[in-house]
């Protein structure tokens, strides 16, 4: 490769990234998950697109796809709040295990009897499309306030169900006869247990080390955190456990530990997650050959119909039988089972393994993901409102970012007051912040000023709050409580951590 060719590749890569970044804005306005736009970019520059670029390296796609999924899962774990998913962990665990089995069985039966695929191909498709994608769900629900139980279940489920699905797809794609179900069950449980144990151990050791080792530059902490998360994946996979569960669990532990420079780490991980998503979806768009999809459109629509209206609702209903979950929430969870990058990446496993008709499996999964994301994505907010789960009547939570002031042994909190916040009209002295915390600056309509104790706060204001280390968490809890309960928060038993609905 010459320097000239390298310059061309860098130019194309930069252009793709810029177009993808701009596409996020388009997706936010249209209600479409960004994955569709990124896949479209890959198809547009592929062999049937504008540039005619030919790419058919399935092995490279699988390797890069796995690497991207590791980064995406790490970013998801770092951004997951333990106090939000802890109450729904039993539900998410059942959905990610028993629920996945229910979905695989029903979808595989539909692929075999309604489309005519053999049982191996049907089981592979059933397993591949049983993994949900939180990024796709929340990209269309970010403007629709939902009960914490729903968002917590969907988030935890999407983080945990990748692991058993990967195990099943690999098992179904292996040469020779498929192992008996009880053998697969035992192997799956063992791999999940190994992955979870390694993830917890690596995450705890990493958090302990970062708290007690002073690095010479703040920019090294985000790199160290991501390295620890990736190491958890490698350790889990090498120990014949679930690497995907290990990386998500380790990142969950790290993300909820009080590590130095947490905002910088979160921003760094989010940026890497975006790059991984963009690169992954564009690569998958390049791999597909549009003119070969014609014969697989109808089978994909049939399988997707069974998956959407039968398999996913049955998965949710059966999994939630032991729990008292209202039917409205079950209905929304059933429709919110969006598929994203994971099923398309997993569809490359049978291609690499040389399974018969594996290219057709990939095409069916690709069409299914695209079509049903187009159907479900834009209708999710509408359904949430119809079920009276997203009517926006509840108060909006504050946007709070924290930056450490290490030499001063304090923290600087940046607080954004959104529309619907009950902090509107509250005076600064009525915040009743703990001793050691104070509002030092208010930014309103583009102008900043130092507030008086009698200054009344408004929607759209941004506050700078300085706190000492001991009261940092108490100050944030108090701010969030006032944002939801107004000046009487505390008297009315409104706390910083929202109650589960």
């Amino acid at each position: 490769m010459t320097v000239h060719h390298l310059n061309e590749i860098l130019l194309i890569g930069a252009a793709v990234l810029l177009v993808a970044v701009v596409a996020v804005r388009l997706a936010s306005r249209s209600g479409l998950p960004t994955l569709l736009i990124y896949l479209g970019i890959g198809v547009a520059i592929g062999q049937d697109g504008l540039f005619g670029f030919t790419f058919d390296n399935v092995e490279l796609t699988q390797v890069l796809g796995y690497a991207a999924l590791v980064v995406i899962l790490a970013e998801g774990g770092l951004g997951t709040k333990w106090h939000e998913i802890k109450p729904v962990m039993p539900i998410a665990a059942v959905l990610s295990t028993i629920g996945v089995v229910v979905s695989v069985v029903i979808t595989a039966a539909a692929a075999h009897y309604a489309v005519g695929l053999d049982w191996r191909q049907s089981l592979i498709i059933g397993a591949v499309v049983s993994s949900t994608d939180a990024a796709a769900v929340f990209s269309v629900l970010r403007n629709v306030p939902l009960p914490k139980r729903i968002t917590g279940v969907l988030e935890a489920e999407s983080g945990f169900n990748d692991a058993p699905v990967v195990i099943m797809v690999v098992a179904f794609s292996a040469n020779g006869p498929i192992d008996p179900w009880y053998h697969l069950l035992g192997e799956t449980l063992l791999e999940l247990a190994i992955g979870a144990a390694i993830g917890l151990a690596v995450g705890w050791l990493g958090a302990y080390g970062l708290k007690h080792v002073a690095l010479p530059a703040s920019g090294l902490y985000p790199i160290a955190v991501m390295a620890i998360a990736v190491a958890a994946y490698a350790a889990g996979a090498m120990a014949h456990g679930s690497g995907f569960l290990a990386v998500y669990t380790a990142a969950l532990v790290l993300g909820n530990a009080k590590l130095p420079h947490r905002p910088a780490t979160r921003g760094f991980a989010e940026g890497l997650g975006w790059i991984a998503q963009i690169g992954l979806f564009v690569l998958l768009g390049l791999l597909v050959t549009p003119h070969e999809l014609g014969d697989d459109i109808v089978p994909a629509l049939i399988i997707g119909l069974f998956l959407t209206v039968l398999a996913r609702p049955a998965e949710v209903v059966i999994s939630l039988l032991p729990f008292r979950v209202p039917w409205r929430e079950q209905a929304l969870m059933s429709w919110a089972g969006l598929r994203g990058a994971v099923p398309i990446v997993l569809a490359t496993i049978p291609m690499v393994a040389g399974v018969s008709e594996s290219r057709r499996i990939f095409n069916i999964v690709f069409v299914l993901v695209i079509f049903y994301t187009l159907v479900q994505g834009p209708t999710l907010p509408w359904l949430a409102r119809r079920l009276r789960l997203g009517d926006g009547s509840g108060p909006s939570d504050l946007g709070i970012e924290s930056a450490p002031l290490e030499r001063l042994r304090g923290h600087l909190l940046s607080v954004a007051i959104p529309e619907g916040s009950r902090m509107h009209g509250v005076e600064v002295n009525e915040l009743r912040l703990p001793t050691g915390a104070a509002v030092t600056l208010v930014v309103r309509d583009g102008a900043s000023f130092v507030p008086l104790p009698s200054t009344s706060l408004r929607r759209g204001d941004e506050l700078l709050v300085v706190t000492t280390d001991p009261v940092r968490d108490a100050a944030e809890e108090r701010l969030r409580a006032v944002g939801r309960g107004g000046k009487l928060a505390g008297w009315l038993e409104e706390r910083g951590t929202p109650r589960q609905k």
Side-chain angles (χ1 to χ4, degrees), residues 27-33 136-147 154 331-332 335-336 338 373-392:
S28 65
R29 290 184 175 182
S30 63
L32 293 175
V137 173
F138 294 123
S139 66
V140 297
L141 285 180
R142 59 181 171 269
N143 294 321
V144 182
L146 291 174
L154 294 175
L332 188 62
W335 193 247
L338 292 181
T373 301
L374 279 170
V375 172
Q376 292 175 271
T379 57
L380 267 176
W382 172 84
L383 180 62
R385 289 190 293 270
R386 291 287 296 178
L387 293 173
R388 291 180 293 174
L389 294 172
D391 57 5

mmCIF file of all heavy atoms in Angstrom, residues 27-33 136-147 154 331-332 335-336 338 373-392:
data_model
loop_
_atom_site.group_PDB
_atom_site.id
_atom_site.type_symbol
_atom_site.label_atom_id
_atom_site.label_comp_id
_atom_site.label_asym_id
_atom_site.label_seq_id
_atom_site.Cartn_x
_atom_site.Cartn_y
_atom_site.Cartn_z
ATOM 1 N N ALA A 27 -31.604 11.037 12.402
ATOM 2 C CA ALA A 27 -32.297 9.932 13.061
ATOM 3 C C ALA A 27 -33.088 10.417 14.267
ATOM 4 O O ALA A 27 -34.186 9.938 14.539
ATOM 5 C CB ALA A 27 -31.288 8.867 13.484
ATOM 6 N N SER A 28 -32.550 11.382 15.010
ATOM 7 C CA SER A 28 -33.240 11.885 16.201
ATOM 8 C C SER A 28 -34.529 12.598 15.836
ATOM 9 O O SER A 28 -35.492 12.589 16.593
ATOM 10 C CB SER A 28 -32.317 12.828 16.976
ATOM 11 O OG SER A 28 -32.028 13.986 16.216
ATOM 12 N N ARG A 29 -34.550 13.213 14.659
ATOM 13 C CA ARG A 29 -35.775 13.907 14.229
ATOM 14 C C ARG A 29 -36.807 12.962 13.628
ATOM 15 O O ARG A 29 -38.007 13.174 13.758
ATOM 16 C CB ARG A 29 -35.413 14.987 13.202
ATOM 17 C CG ARG A 29 -34.650 16.168 13.798
ATOM 18 C CD ARG A 29 -34.410 17.234 12.747
ATOM 19 N NE ARG A 29 -33.796 18.420 13.326
ATOM 20 C CZ ARG A 29 -33.509 19.525 12.633
ATOM 21 N NH1 ARG A 29 -33.771 19.573 11.338
ATOM 22 N NH2 ARG A 29 -32.957 20.562 13.233
ATOM 23 N N SER A 30 -36.329 11.912 12.951
ATOM 24 C CA SER A 30 -37.248 11.008 12.264
ATOM 25 C C SER A 30 -37.747 9.882 13.151
ATOM 26 O O SER A 30 -38.738 9.234 12.828
ATOM 27 C CB SER A 30 -36.557 10.399 11.039
ATOM 28 O OG SER A 30 -35.443 9.615 11.433
ATOM 29 N N GLY A 31 -37.059 9.627 14.282
ATOM 30 C CA GLY A 31 -37.432 8.527 15.153
ATOM 31 C C GLY A 31 -36.881 7.191 14.719
ATOM 32 O O GLY A 31 -37.201 6.158 15.299
ATOM 33 N N LEU A 32 -36.018 7.166 13.701
ATOM 34 C CA LEU A 32 -35.429 5.929 13.225
ATOM 35 C C LEU A 32 -34.146 5.635 13.986
ATOM 36 O O LEU A 32 -33.355 6.540 14.249
ATOM 37 C CB LEU A 32 -35.118 6.017 11.721
ATOM 38 C CG LEU A 32 -36.308 6.110 10.775
ATOM 39 C CD1 LEU A 32 -35.807 6.303 9.348
ATOM 40 C CD2 LEU A 32 -37.165 4.864 10.862
ATOM 41 N N PRO A 33 -33.892 4.372 14.324
ATOM 42 C CA PRO A 33 -32.607 4.023 14.933
ATOM 43 C C PRO A 33 -31.466 4.335 13.963
ATOM 44 O O PRO A 33 -31.581 4.134 12.752
ATOM 45 C CB PRO A 33 -32.731 2.512 15.179
ATOM 46 C CG PRO A 33 -34.196 2.247 15.227
ATOM 47 C CD PRO A 33 -34.820 3.228 14.269
ATOM 48 N N ALA A 136 -30.767 0.390 19.825
ATOM 49 C CA ALA A 136 -31.871 0.641 18.904
ATOM 50 C C ALA A 136 -33.129 1.066 19.639
ATOM 51 O O ALA A 136 -33.861 1.963 19.216
ATOM 52 C CB ALA A 136 -32.146 -0.610 18.068
ATOM 53 N N VAL A 137 -33.391 0.421 20.790
ATOM 54 C CA VAL A 137 -34.595 0.748 21.559
ATOM 55 C C VAL A 137 -34.542 2.173 22.086
ATOM 56 O O VAL A 137 -35.448 2.985 21.885
ATOM 57 C CB VAL A 137 -34.770 -0.246 22.721
ATOM 58 C CG1 VAL A 137 -35.917 0.191 23.621
ATOM 59 C CG2 VAL A 137 -35.033 -1.648 22.189
ATOM 60 N N PHE A 138 -33.439 2.528 22.755
ATOM 61 C CA PHE A 138 -33.380 3.821 23.419
ATOM 62 C C PHE A 138 -33.137 4.967 22.460
ATOM 63 O O PHE A 138 -33.397 6.118 22.799
ATOM 64 C CB PHE A 138 -32.317 3.803 24.514
ATOM 65 C CG PHE A 138 -32.665 2.858 25.628
ATOM 66 C CD1 PHE A 138 -31.804 1.843 25.986
ATOM 67 C CD2 PHE A 138 -33.860 2.973 26.291
ATOM 68 C CE1 PHE A 138 -32.130 0.960 27.003
ATOM 69 C CE2 PHE A 138 -34.197 2.098 27.308
ATOM 70 C CZ PHE A 138 -33.338 1.088 27.660
ATOM 71 N N SER A 139 -32.667 4.685 21.236
ATOM 72 C CA SER A 139 -32.509 5.760 20.272
ATOM 73 C C SER A 139 -33.857 6.304 19.829
ATOM 74 O O SER A 139 -33.965 7.450 19.402
ATOM 75 C CB SER A 139 -31.711 5.272 19.053
ATOM 76 O OG SER A 139 -32.445 4.292 18.339
ATOM 77 N N VAL A 140 -34.916 5.489 19.933
ATOM 78 C CA VAL A 140 -36.246 5.972 19.563
ATOM 79 C C VAL A 140 -37.088 6.301 20.793
ATOM 80 O O VAL A 140 -38.139 6.925 20.674
ATOM 81 C CB VAL A 140 -36.989 4.941 18.681
ATOM 82 C CG1 VAL A 140 -36.270 4.729 17.384
ATOM 83 C CG2 VAL A 140 -37.160 3.626 19.402
ATOM 84 N N LEU A 141 -36.651 5.889 21.987
ATOM 85 C CA LEU A 141 -37.419 6.156 23.203
ATOM 86 C C LEU A 141 -36.800 7.245 24.078
ATOM 87 O O LEU A 141 -37.304 7.516 25.147
ATOM 88 C CB LEU A 141 -37.542 4.875 24.040
ATOM 89 C CG LEU A 141 -38.519 3.812 23.536
ATOM 90 C CD1 LEU A 141 -38.510 2.620 24.463
ATOM 91 C CD2 LEU A 141 -39.920 4.361 23.392
ATOM 92 N N ARG A 142 -35.690 7.859 23.602
ATOM 93 C CA ARG A 142 -34.996 8.804 24.478
ATOM 94 C C ARG A 142 -35.844 10.031 24.797
ATOM 95 O O ARG A 142 -35.597 10.703 25.808
ATOM 96 C CB ARG A 142 -33.674 9.242 23.835
ATOM 97 C CG ARG A 142 -33.822 9.900 22.481
ATOM 98 C CD ARG A 142 -32.448 10.259 21.924
ATOM 99 N NE ARG A 142 -32.553 10.699 20.541
ATOM 100 C CZ ARG A 142 -32.454 9.901 19.512
ATOM 101 N NH1 ARG A 142 -32.240 8.609 19.709
ATOM 102 N NH2 ARG A 142 -32.577 10.342 18.277
ATOM 103 N N ASN A 143 -36.837 10.341 23.976
ATOM 104 C CA ASN A 143 -37.693 11.488 24.247
ATOM 105 C C ASN A 143 -39.027 11.087 24.864
ATOM 106 O O ASN A 143 -39.920 11.919 24.982
ATOM 107 C CB ASN A 143 -37.941 12.271 22.946
ATOM 108 C CG ASN A 143 -36.683 12.906 22.409
ATOM 109 O OD1 ASN A 143 -35.862 13.403 23.168
ATOM 110 N ND2 ASN A 143 -36.522 12.881 21.096
ATOM 111 N N VAL A 144 -39.159 9.802 25.225
ATOM 112 C CA VAL A 144 -40.402 9.322 25.815
ATOM 113 C C VAL A 144 -40.108 8.821 27.220
ATOM 114 O O VAL A 144 -39.482 7.781 27.393
ATOM 115 C CB VAL A 144 -41.011 8.180 24.974
ATOM 116 C CG1 VAL A 144 -42.335 7.727 25.577
ATOM 117 C CG2 VAL A 144 -41.196 8.629 23.539
ATOM 118 N N PRO A 145 -40.532 9.553 28.272
ATOM 119 C CA PRO A 145 -40.271 9.094 29.638
ATOM 120 C C PRO A 145 -41.042 7.815 29.940
ATOM 121 O O PRO A 145 -42.224 7.714 29.656
ATOM 122 C CB PRO A 145 -40.768 10.261 30.499
ATOM 123 C CG PRO A 145 -41.765 10.977 29.649
ATOM 124 C CD PRO A 145 -41.293 10.819 28.235
ATOM 125 N N LEU A 146 -40.357 6.823 30.483
ATOM 126 C CA LEU A 146 -40.959 5.536 30.783
ATOM 127 C C LEU A 146 -40.690 5.172 32.242
ATOM 128 O O LEU A 146 -39.747 5.669 32.855
ATOM 129 C CB LEU A 146 -40.370 4.446 29.881
ATOM 130 C CG LEU A 146 -40.732 4.503 28.399
ATOM 131 C CD1 LEU A 146 -39.942 3.445 27.643
ATOM 132 C CD2 LEU A 146 -42.212 4.285 28.193
ATOM 133 N N PRO A 147 -41.499 4.273 32.804
ATOM 134 C CA PRO A 147 -41.193 3.773 34.142
ATOM 135 C C PRO A 147 -39.799 3.153 34.184
ATOM 136 O O PRO A 147 -39.368 2.506 33.239
ATOM 137 C CB PRO A 147 -42.291 2.722 34.380
ATOM 138 C CG PRO A 147 -43.413 3.139 33.498
ATOM 139 C CD PRO A 147 -42.773 3.742 32.283
ATOM 140 N N LEU A 154 -35.206 -3.625 29.850
ATOM 141 C CA LEU A 154 -34.723 -3.653 28.468
ATOM 142 C C LEU A 154 -33.216 -3.483 28.403
ATOM 143 O O LEU A 154 -32.537 -4.134 27.596
ATOM 144 C CB LEU A 154 -35.416 -2.554 27.659
ATOM 145 C CG LEU A 154 -36.920 -2.714 27.448
ATOM 146 C CD1 LEU A 154 -37.499 -1.499 26.731
ATOM 147 C CD2 LEU A 154 -37.217 -3.991 26.667
ATOM 148 N N ALA A 331 -46.855 -5.502 27.247
ATOM 149 C CA ALA A 331 -47.118 -5.207 25.836
ATOM 150 C C ALA A 331 -46.012 -4.339 25.247
ATOM 151 O O ALA A 331 -45.532 -4.588 24.129
ATOM 152 C CB ALA A 331 -48.476 -4.515 25.695
ATOM 153 N N LEU A 332 -45.577 -3.327 26.002
ATOM 154 C CA LEU A 332 -44.516 -2.462 25.488
ATOM 155 C C LEU A 332 -43.196 -3.217 25.395
ATOM 156 O O LEU A 332 -42.443 -3.056 24.411
ATOM 157 C CB LEU A 332 -44.357 -1.236 26.385
ATOM 158 C CG LEU A 332 -43.406 -0.157 25.835
ATOM 159 C CD1 LEU A 332 -43.922 0.391 24.519
ATOM 160 C CD2 LEU A 332 -43.214 0.966 26.836
ATOM 161 N N TRP A 335 -43.187 -5.283 22.210
ATOM 162 C CA TRP A 335 -42.971 -4.532 20.970
ATOM 163 C C TRP A 335 -41.590 -3.894 20.934
ATOM 164 O O TRP A 335 -41.092 -3.550 19.870
ATOM 165 C CB TRP A 335 -44.051 -3.468 20.821
ATOM 166 C CG TRP A 335 -44.116 -2.857 19.448
ATOM 167 C CD1 TRP A 335 -43.833 -1.580 19.095
ATOM 168 C CD2 TRP A 335 -44.531 -3.507 18.250
ATOM 169 N NE1 TRP A 335 -44.020 -1.378 17.750
ATOM 170 C CE2 TRP A 335 -44.464 -2.557 17.197
ATOM 171 C CE3 TRP A 335 -44.945 -4.800 17.934
ATOM 172 C CZ2 TRP A 335 -44.792 -2.856 15.878
ATOM 173 C CZ3 TRP A 335 -45.283 -5.098 16.622
ATOM 174 C CH2 TRP A 335 -45.194 -4.137 15.617
ATOM 175 N N ALA A 336 -40.953 -3.743 22.091
ATOM 176 C CA ALA A 336 -39.653 -3.072 22.159
ATOM 177 C C ALA A 336 -38.487 -4.029 21.953
ATOM 178 O O ALA A 336 -37.345 -3.662 22.215
ATOM 179 C CB ALA A 336 -39.493 -2.362 23.505
ATOM 180 N N LEU A 338 -36.384 -4.761 19.764
ATOM 181 C CA LEU A 338 -35.715 -4.408 18.508
ATOM 182 C C LEU A 338 -34.424 -5.188 18.331
ATOM 183 O O LEU A 338 -33.690 -5.434 19.281
ATOM 184 C CB LEU A 338 -35.412 -2.910 18.464
ATOM 185 C CG LEU A 338 -36.608 -1.963 18.368
ATOM 186 C CD1 LEU A 338 -36.127 -0.528 18.317
ATOM 187 C CD2 LEU A 338 -37.447 -2.278 17.152
ATOM 188 N N THR A 373 -37.199 -3.227 12.052
ATOM 189 C CA THR A 373 -36.760 -2.019 12.741
ATOM 190 C C THR A 373 -37.488 -0.803 12.180
ATOM 191 O O THR A 373 -37.862 0.112 12.924
ATOM 192 C CB THR A 373 -35.235 -1.835 12.600
ATOM 193 O OG1 THR A 373 -34.578 -2.969 13.156
ATOM 194 C CG2 THR A 373 -34.767 -0.588 13.342
ATOM 195 N N LEU A 374 -37.691 -0.792 10.864
ATOM 196 C CA LEU A 374 -38.453 0.296 10.241
ATOM 197 C C LEU A 374 -39.900 0.314 10.736
ATOM 198 O O LEU A 374 -40.503 1.385 10.881
ATOM 199 C CB LEU A 374 -38.438 0.141 8.714
ATOM 200 C CG LEU A 374 -37.193 0.634 7.975
ATOM 201 C CD1 LEU A 374 -37.227 0.192 6.517
ATOM 202 C CD2 LEU A 374 -37.084 2.148 8.072
ATOM 203 N N VAL A 375 -40.457 -0.857 11.004
ATOM 204 C CA VAL A 375 -41.848 -0.932 11.464
ATOM 205 C C VAL A 375 -41.949 -0.602 12.956
ATOM 206 O O VAL A 375 -42.777 0.213 13.371
ATOM 207 C CB VAL A 375 -42.425 -2.333 11.184
ATOM 208 C CG1 VAL A 375 -43.804 -2.479 11.847
ATOM 209 C CG2 VAL A 375 -42.525 -2.573 9.693
ATOM 210 N N GLN A 376 -41.086 -1.220 13.769
ATOM 211 C CA GLN A 376 -41.214 -1.079 15.215
ATOM 212 C C GLN A 376 -40.642 0.234 15.741
ATOM 213 O O GLN A 376 -41.212 0.838 16.650
ATOM 214 C CB GLN A 376 -40.509 -2.251 15.910
ATOM 215 C CG GLN A 376 -41.178 -3.593 15.699
ATOM 216 C CD GLN A 376 -40.359 -4.719 16.298
ATOM 217 O OE1 GLN A 376 -39.492 -5.285 15.655
ATOM 218 N NE2 GLN A 376 -40.635 -5.041 17.543
ATOM 219 N N GLY A 377 -39.509 0.667 15.182
ATOM 220 C CA GLY A 377 -38.843 1.850 15.710
ATOM 221 C C GLY A 377 -39.722 3.089 15.786
ATOM 222 O O GLY A 377 -39.949 3.640 16.871
ATOM 223 N N PRO A 378 -40.270 3.560 14.657
ATOM 224 C CA PRO A 378 -41.086 4.779 14.703
ATOM 225 C C PRO A 378 -42.388 4.633 15.478
ATOM 226 O O PRO A 378 -42.960 5.625 15.912
ATOM 227 C CB PRO A 378 -41.363 5.062 13.219
ATOM 228 C CG PRO A 378 -40.290 4.343 12.468
ATOM 229 C CD PRO A 378 -40.014 3.121 13.274
ATOM 230 N N THR A 379 -42.882 3.392 15.649
ATOM 231 C CA THR A 379 -44.173 3.209 16.331
ATOM 232 C C THR A 379 -44.026 3.013 17.840
ATOM 233 O O THR A 379 -45.035 3.027 18.560
ATOM 234 C CB THR A 379 -44.914 1.988 15.748
ATOM 235 O OG1 THR A 379 -44.080 0.824 15.865
ATOM 236 C CG2 THR A 379 -45.253 2.215 14.283
ATOM 237 N N LEU A 380 -42.800 2.830 18.338
ATOM 238 C CA LEU A 380 -42.621 2.624 19.777
ATOM 239 C C LEU A 380 -43.097 3.813 20.612
ATOM 240 O O LEU A 380 -43.832 3.625 21.593
ATOM 241 C CB LEU A 380 -41.154 2.318 20.072
ATOM 242 C CG LEU A 380 -40.768 0.831 20.124
ATOM 243 C CD1 LEU A 380 -39.269 0.691 20.316
ATOM 244 C CD2 LEU A 380 -41.503 0.126 21.230
ATOM 245 N N PRO A 381 -42.710 5.060 20.288
ATOM 246 C CA PRO A 381 -43.214 6.185 21.085
ATOM 247 C C PRO A 381 -44.736 6.281 21.059
ATOM 248 O O PRO A 381 -45.364 6.586 22.076
ATOM 249 C CB PRO A 381 -42.561 7.404 20.418
ATOM 250 C CG PRO A 381 -41.340 6.861 19.748
ATOM 251 C CD PRO A 381 -41.732 5.506 19.274
ATOM 252 N N TRP A 382 -45.333 6.023 19.883
ATOM 253 C CA TRP A 382 -46.798 6.067 19.766
ATOM 254 C C TRP A 382 -47.438 5.013 20.674
ATOM 255 O O TRP A 382 -48.409 5.297 21.386
ATOM 256 C CB TRP A 382 -47.200 5.829 18.317
ATOM 257 C CG TRP A 382 -48.686 5.676 18.115
ATOM 258 C CD1 TRP A 382 -49.603 6.667 17.962
ATOM 259 C CD2 TRP A 382 -49.417 4.434 18.082
ATOM 260 N NE1 TRP A 382 -50.872 6.140 17.827
ATOM 261 C CE2 TRP A 382 -50.784 4.759 17.904
ATOM 262 C CE3 TRP A 382 -49.053 3.096 18.166
ATOM 263 C CZ2 TRP A 382 -51.771 3.793 17.808
ATOM 264 C CZ3 TRP A 382 -50.043 2.130 18.090
ATOM 265 C CH2 TRP A 382 -51.384 2.479 17.914
ATOM 266 N N LEU A 383 -46.886 3.794 20.662
ATOM 267 C CA LEU A 383 -47.437 2.734 21.493
ATOM 268 C C LEU A 383 -47.290 3.066 22.974
ATOM 269 O O LEU A 383 -48.204 2.815 23.770
ATOM 270 C CB LEU A 383 -46.745 1.406 21.174
ATOM 271 C CG LEU A 383 -47.223 0.195 21.981
ATOM 272 C CD1 LEU A 383 -48.702 -0.074 21.700
ATOM 273 C CD2 LEU A 383 -46.384 -1.037 21.656
ATOM 274 N N ALA A 384 -46.140 3.649 23.343
ATOM 275 C CA ALA A 384 -45.930 4.017 24.748
ATOM 276 C C ALA A 384 -46.980 5.020 25.201
ATOM 277 O O ALA A 384 -47.501 4.925 26.324
ATOM 278 C CB ALA A 384 -44.529 4.589 24.928
ATOM 279 N N ARG A 385 -47.300 5.973 24.331
ATOM 280 C CA ARG A 385 -48.332 6.960 24.692
ATOM 281 C C ARG A 385 -49.712 6.320 24.745
ATOM 282 O O ARG A 385 -50.518 6.633 25.630
ATOM 283 C CB ARG A 385 -48.301 8.120 23.704
ATOM 284 C CG ARG A 385 -47.077 9.017 23.833
ATOM 285 C CD ARG A 385 -47.221 10.260 22.997
ATOM 286 N NE ARG A 385 -47.213 9.965 21.575
ATOM 287 C CZ ARG A 385 -46.126 9.931 20.811
ATOM 288 N NH1 ARG A 385 -44.938 10.184 21.357
ATOM 289 N NH2 ARG A 385 -46.203 9.657 19.531
ATOM 290 N N ARG A 386 -50.004 5.415 23.799
ATOM 291 C CA ARG A 386 -51.313 4.759 23.790
ATOM 292 C C ARG A 386 -51.512 3.894 25.034
ATOM 293 O O ARG A 386 -52.627 3.770 25.546
ATOM 294 C CB ARG A 386 -51.441 3.882 22.542
ATOM 295 C CG ARG A 386 -51.537 4.658 21.242
ATOM 296 C CD ARG A 386 -52.870 5.331 21.077
ATOM 297 N NE ARG A 386 -53.974 4.382 20.968
ATOM 298 C CZ ARG A 386 -55.238 4.717 20.857
ATOM 299 N NH1 ARG A 386 -55.576 6.004 20.871
ATOM 300 N NH2 ARG A 386 -56.184 3.808 20.743
ATOM 301 N N LEU A 387 -50.431 3.306 25.514
ATOM 302 C CA LEU A 387 -50.502 2.483 26.720
ATOM 303 C C LEU A 387 -50.390 3.319 27.994
ATOM 304 O O LEU A 387 -50.352 2.777 29.095
ATOM 305 C CB LEU A 387 -49.393 1.425 26.697
ATOM 306 C CG LEU A 387 -49.505 0.350 25.616
ATOM 307 C CD1 LEU A 387 -48.255 -0.524 25.593
ATOM 308 C CD2 LEU A 387 -50.746 -0.505 25.827
ATOM 309 N N ARG A 388 -50.303 4.644 27.804
ATOM 310 C CA ARG A 388 -50.176 5.597 28.920
ATOM 311 C C ARG A 388 -48.938 5.299 29.767
ATOM 312 O O ARG A 388 -48.946 5.408 30.989
ATOM 313 C CB ARG A 388 -51.446 5.576 29.788
ATOM 314 C CG ARG A 388 -52.661 6.145 29.078
ATOM 315 C CD ARG A 388 -53.885 6.100 29.958
ATOM 316 N NE ARG A 388 -54.303 4.728 30.221
ATOM 317 C CZ ARG A 388 -55.281 4.393 31.064
ATOM 318 N NH1 ARG A 388 -55.925 5.321 31.729
ATOM 319 N NH2 ARG A 388 -55.593 3.129 31.257
ATOM 320 N N LEU A 389 -47.863 4.933 29.069
ATOM 321 C CA LEU A 389 -46.588 4.711 29.730
ATOM 322 C C LEU A 389 -45.571 5.774 29.353
ATOM 323 O O LEU A 389 -44.491 5.823 29.926
ATOM 324 C CB LEU A 389 -46.028 3.328 29.360
ATOM 325 C CG LEU A 389 -46.830 2.138 29.874
ATOM 326 C CD1 LEU A 389 -46.287 0.851 29.285
ATOM 327 C CD2 LEU A 389 -46.794 2.092 31.389
ATOM 328 N N GLY A 390 -45.915 6.617 28.413
ATOM 329 C CA GLY A 390 -44.972 7.648 27.992
ATOM 330 C C GLY A 390 -45.663 8.947 27.680
ATOM 331 O O GLY A 390 -45.391 9.588 26.670
ATOM 332 N N ASP A 391 -46.593 9.355 28.538
ATOM 333 C CA ASP A 391 -47.359 10.558 28.264
ATOM 334 C C ASP A 391 -46.653 11.837 28.700
ATOM 335 O O ASP A 391 -47.166 12.925 28.506
ATOM 336 C CB ASP A 391 -48.733 10.477 28.959
ATOM 337 C CG ASP A 391 -48.598 10.266 30.466
ATOM 338 O OD1 ASP A 391 -47.471 10.287 30.979
ATOM 339 O OD2 ASP A 391 -49.652 10.086 31.100
ATOM 340 N N GLY A 392 -45.494 11.677 29.324
ATOM 341 C CA GLY A 392 -44.726 12.862 29.701
ATOM 342 C C GLY A 392 -45.298 13.619 30.881
ATOM 343 O O GLY A 392 -44.886 14.739 31.155
#
